[in-house]
Amino acid sequence: MNMDYLPNKKRIHSNSPLLPPFIPDEIIAEILCVLPVKTILQLKCVSKTWKTLISDPAFVQKHFNYSSLNPYLLFTPRKLRYPTSIVKFLPVLRFLETDLSNIVSNDSFRGGKDNCQVIGTCNGLICLFFHYRYRKYWFRLWNPATRILSKKLGIFEDHHTIYDSCKFTLGSDISTGTYKVVALSKVAVREENPISMKNQFGVLSLGDNCWRNFQFCSSIPVCLIYGNAENINNGLHLNGTVNWLALPKYIQPFYQYDCKSIANAQQFVIVSLDLSTETCTQFLLPPGFDEVPLFQPTLNILTGCLCFLHDLKGSEFVIWHMKEFGVQKTWTMLFKITHNDIQMDDYLSQFSTYSVPLYLSKNGDTCILANYDDNQVFIYNQREKRVRRTRIANKLGWFSPTEYVESLVSIC
């Protein structure tokens, strides 16, 4: 065979340029939205395309949905007389494993000389309430993940001690996407004898930064339960509403819960303020709630549902949740914790005194409860009927029953 007639083989040049792999924008968005906010902000400088993608409201919402799967618990100083010089966060998963006596977190807010208090969290934003010499007040929105703080909002002056007499709550008007601060107080009305107590509302829209005048909610003459614990019943934001536990025509001595002054359990109601229409409605508690509790009951939000907690004859601790908001028949019992379940009588009394659930696992087995009275944490496993108790140190307490979720949401 003549080798000269064999075809020449094509040579592969090792230095030939390789085309970069093409990754669709949809795949890039899926990858980016599972990253921490700090990492995503750093990736903004990769290209204009990435910067545009990360700033897109649809991506911000998608990232928030993923972040909601890994919520945080928020800690502030326990006493209101202390300025909120430090706000700390701890992922729930770490909360179940770590030693809580020394919480370490890089996220913090320095309140400065002005007294400051956390009053609400919504969509990854935290609302801070400032007061100066008990006369001048204002608010600021803060995104701990992006480390952006708004200017002073809703500045007003008052000669009365609004700080002590009002309860403030942050919420969102879902019809417009506007954030609102609701101020609520109890006032004495001399329309009849004896003097009746009614609610007085004020709404600050952070869109136009204006307060609307306080108005009586005359259709629902209820007296809200404030309680002794600092963060109980401040108002819970859920699906564009703010909700409180209340007792119609009930005057509480020194703002304290007194079970002997309540005729029956049917007196309790939930007052709900719609932030879009700024109107109030009320609905009833679970039909199984038929005895006045010895300790003050509370409301909370778990797994996106409104929850109600109460003790039963001082020997059982019951948690209900409303699967469909505002629909009475959807109340379902989640837990009933008894002496036999926890095998220690003193645990149950500590459960019942200002205990608030902070977290419920997806499978419904594990519940984290905080006790505001002595700053304890109870981790209850329903399947194993087991309770683990721990304590928070450094004079820190839980700001609110609601969870904090890291987000890219703008404060504007």
mmCIF file of all heavy atoms in Angstrom, residues 370-401:
data_model
loop_
_atom_site.group_PDB
_atom_site.id
_atom_site.type_symbol
_atom_site.label_atom_id
_atom_site.label_comp_id
_atom_site.label_asym_id
_atom_site.label_seq_id
_atom_site.Cartn_x
_atom_site.Cartn_y
_atom_site.Cartn_z
ATOM 1 N N ALA A 370 -41.332 30.601 73.792
ATOM 2 C CA ALA A 370 -40.560 31.521 74.626
ATOM 3 C C ALA A 370 -41.397 31.947 75.806
ATOM 4 O O ALA A 370 -42.594 32.196 75.675
ATOM 5 C CB ALA A 370 -40.138 32.745 73.817
ATOM 6 N N ASN A 371 -40.770 32.048 76.958
ATOM 7 C CA ASN A 371 -41.431 32.528 78.157
ATOM 8 C C ASN A 371 -40.885 33.914 78.485
ATOM 9 O O ASN A 371 -39.724 34.070 78.835
ATOM 10 C CB ASN A 371 -41.186 31.575 79.326
ATOM 11 C CG ASN A 371 -41.977 31.982 80.550
ATOM 12 O OD1 ASN A 371 -41.649 32.963 81.202
ATOM 13 N ND2 ASN A 371 -43.018 31.235 80.857
ATOM 14 N N TYR A 372 -41.739 34.946 78.318
ATOM 15 C CA TYR A 372 -41.294 36.316 78.530
ATOM 16 C C TYR A 372 -41.016 36.623 79.995
ATOM 17 O O TYR A 372 -40.270 37.542 80.309
ATOM 18 C CB TYR A 372 -42.341 37.295 78.010
ATOM 19 C CG TYR A 372 -42.421 37.368 76.514
ATOM 20 C CD1 TYR A 372 -43.342 36.612 75.814
ATOM 21 C CD2 TYR A 372 -41.551 38.179 75.795
ATOM 22 C CE1 TYR A 372 -43.415 36.670 74.436
ATOM 23 C CE2 TYR A 372 -41.615 38.248 74.423
ATOM 24 C CZ TYR A 372 -42.548 37.496 73.745
ATOM 25 O OH TYR A 372 -42.616 37.544 72.388
ATOM 26 N N ASP A 373 -41.655 35.865 80.876
ATOM 27 C CA ASP A 373 -41.554 36.179 82.291
ATOM 28 C C ASP A 373 -40.149 35.947 82.839
ATOM 29 O O ASP A 373 -39.631 36.731 83.628
ATOM 30 C CB ASP A 373 -42.567 35.346 83.078
ATOM 31 C CG ASP A 373 -43.172 36.110 84.227
ATOM 32 O OD1 ASP A 373 -43.180 37.351 84.150
ATOM 33 O OD2 ASP A 373 -43.617 35.475 85.193
ATOM 34 N N ASP A 374 -39.523 34.835 82.442
ATOM 35 C CA ASP A 374 -38.183 34.541 82.963
ATOM 36 C C ASP A 374 -37.175 34.262 81.849
ATOM 37 O O ASP A 374 -36.113 33.693 82.085
ATOM 38 C CB ASP A 374 -38.222 33.364 83.946
ATOM 39 C CG ASP A 374 -38.766 32.096 83.307
ATOM 40 O OD1 ASP A 374 -39.051 32.121 82.092
ATOM 41 O OD2 ASP A 374 -38.902 31.092 84.018
ATOM 42 N N ASN A 375 -37.538 34.646 80.580
ATOM 43 C CA ASN A 375 -36.593 34.580 79.474
ATOM 44 C C ASN A 375 -36.122 33.158 79.186
ATOM 45 O O ASN A 375 -34.951 32.935 78.898
ATOM 46 C CB ASN A 375 -35.386 35.486 79.754
ATOM 47 C CG ASN A 375 -34.917 36.167 78.480
ATOM 48 O OD1 ASN A 375 -35.713 36.388 77.580
ATOM 49 N ND2 ASN A 375 -33.649 36.488 78.410
ATOM 50 N N GLN A 376 -37.025 32.215 79.255
ATOM 51 C CA GLN A 376 -36.685 30.834 78.972
ATOM 52 C C GLN A 376 -37.218 30.397 77.613
ATOM 53 O O GLN A 376 -38.141 31.010 77.067
ATOM 54 C CB GLN A 376 -37.251 29.903 80.041
ATOM 55 C CG GLN A 376 -36.572 30.027 81.389
ATOM 56 C CD GLN A 376 -36.930 28.866 82.283
ATOM 57 O OE1 GLN A 376 -36.334 27.797 82.224
ATOM 58 N NE2 GLN A 376 -37.925 29.074 83.115
ATOM 59 N N VAL A 377 -36.628 29.323 77.093
ATOM 60 C CA VAL A 377 -37.056 28.726 75.836
ATOM 61 C C VAL A 377 -37.426 27.270 76.097
ATOM 62 O O VAL A 377 -36.687 26.545 76.763
ATOM 63 C CB VAL A 377 -35.935 28.779 74.779
ATOM 64 C CG1 VAL A 377 -36.395 28.137 73.483
ATOM 65 C CG2 VAL A 377 -35.507 30.208 74.529
ATOM 66 N N PHE A 378 -38.577 26.869 75.561
ATOM 67 C CA PHE A 378 -39.004 25.477 75.638
ATOM 68 C C PHE A 378 -39.084 24.926 74.217
ATOM 69 O O PHE A 378 -39.778 25.497 73.377
ATOM 70 C CB PHE A 378 -40.371 25.349 76.309
ATOM 71 C CG PHE A 378 -40.405 25.846 77.721
ATOM 72 C CD1 PHE A 378 -40.749 27.164 77.995
ATOM 73 C CD2 PHE A 378 -40.089 25.013 78.773
ATOM 74 C CE1 PHE A 378 -40.788 27.632 79.295
ATOM 75 C CE2 PHE A 378 -40.119 25.474 80.075
ATOM 76 C CZ PHE A 378 -40.467 26.775 80.340
ATOM 77 N N ILE A 379 -38.387 23.839 73.962
ATOM 78 C CA ILE A 379 -38.455 23.175 72.665
ATOM 79 C C ILE A 379 -39.228 21.878 72.870
ATOM 80 O O ILE A 379 -38.738 20.940 73.499
ATOM 81 C CB ILE A 379 -37.054 22.912 72.098
ATOM 82 C CG1 ILE A 379 -36.296 24.245 71.950
ATOM 83 C CG2 ILE A 379 -37.135 22.208 70.751
ATOM 84 C CD1 ILE A 379 -34.858 24.089 71.527
ATOM 85 N N TYR A 380 -40.453 21.847 72.359
ATOM 86 C CA TYR A 380 -41.356 20.730 72.614
ATOM 87 C C TYR A 380 -41.486 19.855 71.379
ATOM 88 O O TYR A 380 -41.766 20.337 70.283
ATOM 89 C CB TYR A 380 -42.738 21.256 73.024
ATOM 90 C CG TYR A 380 -43.772 20.172 73.195
ATOM 91 C CD1 TYR A 380 -43.682 19.257 74.242
ATOM 92 C CD2 TYR A 380 -44.846 20.062 72.314
ATOM 93 C CE1 TYR A 380 -44.638 18.260 74.406
ATOM 94 C CE2 TYR A 380 -45.812 19.077 72.475
ATOM 95 C CZ TYR A 380 -45.694 18.178 73.519
ATOM 96 O OH TYR A 380 -46.633 17.193 73.673
ATOM 97 N N ASN A 381 -41.264 18.550 71.551
ATOM 98 C CA ASN A 381 -41.444 17.575 70.485
ATOM 99 C C ASN A 381 -42.712 16.782 70.772
ATOM 100 O O ASN A 381 -42.770 16.009 71.727
ATOM 101 C CB ASN A 381 -40.240 16.640 70.389
ATOM 102 C CG ASN A 381 -40.319 15.724 69.181
ATOM 103 O OD1 ASN A 381 -41.156 14.845 69.101
ATOM 104 N ND2 ASN A 381 -39.418 15.940 68.228
ATOM 105 N N GLN A 382 -43.737 17.000 69.945
ATOM 106 C CA GLN A 382 -45.032 16.379 70.195
ATOM 107 C C GLN A 382 -44.987 14.869 69.989
ATOM 108 O O GLN A 382 -45.616 14.114 70.743
ATOM 109 C CB GLN A 382 -46.081 16.991 69.265
ATOM 110 C CG GLN A 382 -47.471 16.412 69.456
ATOM 111 C CD GLN A 382 -48.509 17.107 68.617
ATOM 112 O OE1 GLN A 382 -49.540 17.540 69.116
ATOM 113 N NE2 GLN A 382 -48.252 17.248 67.327
ATOM 114 N N ARG A 383 -44.243 14.397 69.008
ATOM 115 C CA ARG A 383 -44.207 12.973 68.717
ATOM 116 C C ARG A 383 -43.563 12.189 69.849
ATOM 117 O O ARG A 383 -44.016 11.122 70.237
ATOM 118 C CB ARG A 383 -43.444 12.740 67.405
ATOM 119 C CG ARG A 383 -43.405 11.310 66.915
ATOM 120 C CD ARG A 383 -43.012 11.297 65.447
ATOM 121 N NE ARG A 383 -41.868 12.189 65.220
ATOM 122 C CZ ARG A 383 -40.611 11.761 65.206
ATOM 123 N NH1 ARG A 383 -40.344 10.502 65.413
ATOM 124 N NH2 ARG A 383 -39.626 12.607 64.966
ATOM 125 N N GLU A 384 -42.485 12.775 70.414
ATOM 126 C CA GLU A 384 -41.778 12.096 71.499
ATOM 127 C C GLU A 384 -42.265 12.515 72.875
ATOM 128 O O GLU A 384 -41.810 11.968 73.888
ATOM 129 C CB GLU A 384 -40.276 12.386 71.383
ATOM 130 C CG GLU A 384 -39.665 11.919 70.064
ATOM 131 C CD GLU A 384 -38.195 12.292 69.948
ATOM 132 O OE1 GLU A 384 -37.666 12.895 70.912
ATOM 133 O OE2 GLU A 384 -37.584 11.988 68.910
ATOM 134 N N LYS A 385 -43.190 13.513 72.947
ATOM 135 C CA LYS A 385 -43.696 14.026 74.213
ATOM 136 C C LYS A 385 -42.534 14.441 75.122
ATOM 137 O O LYS A 385 -42.469 14.083 76.294
ATOM 138 C CB LYS A 385 -44.553 12.973 74.927
ATOM 139 C CG LYS A 385 -45.730 12.461 74.124
ATOM 140 C CD LYS A 385 -46.741 13.561 73.844
ATOM 141 C CE LYS A 385 -47.937 13.016 73.083
ATOM 142 N NZ LYS A 385 -48.912 14.074 72.724
ATOM 143 N N ARG A 386 -41.644 15.226 74.548
ATOM 144 C CA ARG A 386 -40.421 15.586 75.276
ATOM 145 C C ARG A 386 -40.209 17.088 75.207
ATOM 146 O O ARG A 386 -40.431 17.725 74.179
ATOM 147 C CB ARG A 386 -39.220 14.854 74.668
ATOM 148 C CG ARG A 386 -37.876 15.175 75.313
ATOM 149 C CD ARG A 386 -36.801 14.246 74.739
ATOM 150 N NE ARG A 386 -36.782 14.299 73.284
ATOM 151 C CZ ARG A 386 -36.072 15.178 72.575
ATOM 152 N NH1 ARG A 386 -35.343 16.095 73.208
ATOM 153 N NH2 ARG A 386 -36.086 15.149 71.257
ATOM 154 N N VAL A 387 -39.740 17.671 76.328
ATOM 155 C CA VAL A 387 -39.474 19.105 76.400
ATOM 156 C C VAL A 387 -38.007 19.333 76.757
ATOM 157 O O VAL A 387 -37.482 18.707 77.675
ATOM 158 C CB VAL A 387 -40.357 19.791 77.466
ATOM 159 C CG1 VAL A 387 -39.936 21.245 77.657
ATOM 160 C CG2 VAL A 387 -41.821 19.737 77.044
ATOM 161 N N ARG A 388 -37.351 20.219 75.992
ATOM 162 C CA ARG A 388 -35.994 20.644 76.339
ATOM 163 C C ARG A 388 -36.044 22.121 76.697
ATOM 164 O O ARG A 388 -36.632 22.918 75.968
ATOM 165 C CB ARG A 388 -35.037 20.408 75.170
ATOM 166 C CG ARG A 388 -33.605 20.843 75.455
ATOM 167 C CD ARG A 388 -32.648 20.258 74.423
ATOM 168 N NE ARG A 388 -32.885 20.756 73.085
ATOM 169 C CZ ARG A 388 -32.278 21.836 72.581
ATOM 170 N NH1 ARG A 388 -31.433 22.528 73.325
ATOM 171 N NH2 ARG A 388 -32.518 22.216 71.347
ATOM 172 N N ARG A 389 -35.444 22.478 77.814
ATOM 173 C CA ARG A 389 -35.500 23.854 78.294
ATOM 174 C C ARG A 389 -34.115 24.476 78.265
ATOM 175 O O ARG A 389 -33.119 23.842 78.614
ATOM 176 C CB ARG A 389 -36.065 23.891 79.714
ATOM 177 C CG ARG A 389 -36.144 25.287 80.308
ATOM 178 C CD ARG A 389 -36.890 25.288 81.619
ATOM 179 N NE ARG A 389 -36.277 24.423 82.621
ATOM 180 C CZ ARG A 389 -36.705 24.314 83.876
ATOM 181 N NH1 ARG A 389 -37.762 25.002 84.261
ATOM 182 N NH2 ARG A 389 -36.105 23.517 84.714
ATOM 183 N N THR A 390 -34.070 25.738 77.847
ATOM 184 C CA THR A 390 -32.813 26.486 77.862
ATOM 185 C C THR A 390 -33.138 27.935 78.175
ATOM 186 O O THR A 390 -34.294 28.304 78.338
ATOM 187 C CB THR A 390 -32.064 26.364 76.519
ATOM 188 O OG1 THR A 390 -30.799 27.014 76.627
ATOM 189 C CG2 THR A 390 -32.855 26.989 75.391
ATOM 190 N N ARG A 391 -32.119 28.773 78.245
ATOM 191 C CA ARG A 391 -32.328 30.165 78.660
ATOM 192 C C ARG A 391 -31.453 31.101 77.821
ATOM 193 O O ARG A 391 -30.350 30.749 77.420
ATOM 194 C CB ARG A 391 -31.964 30.325 80.139
ATOM 195 C CG ARG A 391 -32.306 31.683 80.728
ATOM 196 C CD ARG A 391 -31.820 31.770 82.181
ATOM 197 N NE ARG A 391 -32.470 30.790 83.011
ATOM 198 C CZ ARG A 391 -33.654 30.992 83.597
ATOM 199 N NH1 ARG A 391 -34.281 32.143 83.441
ATOM 200 N NH2 ARG A 391 -34.193 30.059 84.349
ATOM 201 N N ILE A 392 -31.986 32.299 77.565
ATOM 202 C CA ILE A 392 -31.235 33.324 76.852
ATOM 203 C C ILE A 392 -30.516 34.213 77.857
ATOM 204 O O ILE A 392 -31.120 34.678 78.820
ATOM 205 C CB ILE A 392 -32.162 34.196 75.987
ATOM 206 C CG1 ILE A 392 -32.803 33.344 74.895
ATOM 207 C CG2 ILE A 392 -31.406 35.352 75.354
ATOM 208 C CD1 ILE A 392 -31.841 32.845 73.871
ATOM 209 N N ALA A 393 -29.250 34.450 77.613
ATOM 210 C CA ALA A 393 -28.463 35.290 78.521
ATOM 211 C C ALA A 393 -28.333 36.707 77.957
ATOM 212 O O ALA A 393 -28.981 37.075 76.986
ATOM 213 C CB ALA A 393 -27.089 34.671 78.742
ATOM 214 N N ASN A 394 -27.475 37.475 78.577
ATOM 215 C CA ASN A 394 -27.133 38.834 78.130
ATOM 216 C C ASN A 394 -28.325 39.788 78.111
ATOM 217 O O ASN A 394 -28.356 40.742 77.349
ATOM 218 C CB ASN A 394 -26.513 38.795 76.723
ATOM 219 C CG ASN A 394 -25.296 37.912 76.672
ATOM 220 O OD1 ASN A 394 -24.536 37.826 77.638
ATOM 221 N ND2 ASN A 394 -25.103 37.236 75.561
ATOM 222 N N LYS A 395 -29.348 39.510 78.968
ATOM 223 C CA LYS A 395 -30.508 40.392 79.088
ATOM 224 C C LYS A 395 -31.205 40.610 77.751
ATOM 225 O O LYS A 395 -31.758 41.676 77.472
ATOM 226 C CB LYS A 395 -30.106 41.741 79.686
ATOM 227 C CG LYS A 395 -29.606 41.659 81.110
ATOM 228 C CD LYS A 395 -29.277 43.019 81.659
ATOM 229 C CE LYS A 395 -28.784 42.926 83.106
ATOM 230 N NZ LYS A 395 -28.443 44.245 83.658
ATOM 231 N N LEU A 396 -31.187 39.579 76.904
ATOM 232 C CA LEU A 396 -31.866 39.675 75.620
ATOM 233 C C LEU A 396 -33.203 38.945 75.689
ATOM 234 O O LEU A 396 -33.359 37.956 76.394
ATOM 235 C CB LEU A 396 -31.014 39.068 74.505
ATOM 236 C CG LEU A 396 -29.770 39.859 74.105
ATOM 237 C CD1 LEU A 396 -28.964 39.073 73.083
ATOM 238 C CD2 LEU A 396 -30.141 41.214 73.533
ATOM 239 N N GLY A 397 -34.168 39.464 74.945
ATOM 240 C CA GLY A 397 -35.469 38.822 74.868
ATOM 241 C C GLY A 397 -35.934 38.803 73.432
ATOM 242 O O GLY A 397 -35.298 39.359 72.539
ATOM 243 N N TRP A 398 -37.077 38.168 73.180
ATOM 244 C CA TRP A 398 -37.605 38.093 71.837
ATOM 245 C C TRP A 398 -38.406 39.334 71.562
ATOM 246 O O TRP A 398 -39.278 39.696 72.345
ATOM 247 C CB TRP A 398 -38.486 36.858 71.696
ATOM 248 C CG TRP A 398 -37.723 35.631 71.960
ATOM 249 C CD1 TRP A 398 -37.081 34.848 71.053
ATOM 250 C CD2 TRP A 398 -37.464 35.050 73.237
ATOM 251 N NE1 TRP A 398 -36.453 33.815 71.693
ATOM 252 C CE2 TRP A 398 -36.670 33.906 73.028
ATOM 253 C CE3 TRP A 398 -37.820 35.373 74.546
ATOM 254 C CZ2 TRP A 398 -36.242 33.093 74.068
ATOM 255 C CZ3 TRP A 398 -37.393 34.569 75.570
ATOM 256 C CH2 TRP A 398 -36.618 33.444 75.336
ATOM 257 N N PHE A 399 -38.135 39.946 70.419
ATOM 258 C CA PHE A 399 -38.897 41.145 70.099
ATOM 259 C C PHE A 399 -40.373 40.788 69.929
ATOM 260 O O PHE A 399 -41.251 41.451 70.438
ATOM 261 C CB PHE A 399 -38.381 41.800 68.827
ATOM 262 C CG PHE A 399 -39.475 42.443 68.035
ATOM 263 C CD1 PHE A 399 -40.102 43.572 68.507
ATOM 264 C CD2 PHE A 399 -39.935 41.868 66.868
ATOM 265 C CE1 PHE A 399 -41.153 44.140 67.815
ATOM 266 C CE2 PHE A 399 -40.974 42.433 66.176
ATOM 267 C CZ PHE A 399 -41.578 43.568 66.645
ATOM 268 N N SER A 400 -40.647 39.741 69.165
ATOM 269 C CA SER A 400 -42.019 39.496 68.749
ATOM 270 C C SER A 400 -42.199 38.034 68.417
ATOM 271 O O SER A 400 -41.249 37.350 68.081
ATOM 272 C CB SER A 400 -42.327 40.353 67.519
ATOM 273 O OG SER A 400 -43.505 39.943 66.890
ATOM 274 N N PRO A 401 -43.439 37.562 68.490
ATOM 275 C CA PRO A 401 -43.698 36.198 68.063
ATOM 276 C C PRO A 401 -43.456 35.963 66.583
ATOM 277 O O PRO A 401 -43.320 34.831 66.155
ATOM 278 C CB PRO A 401 -45.189 36.009 68.379
ATOM 279 C CG PRO A 401 -45.508 37.042 69.386
ATOM 280 C CD PRO A 401 -44.601 38.193 69.100
#
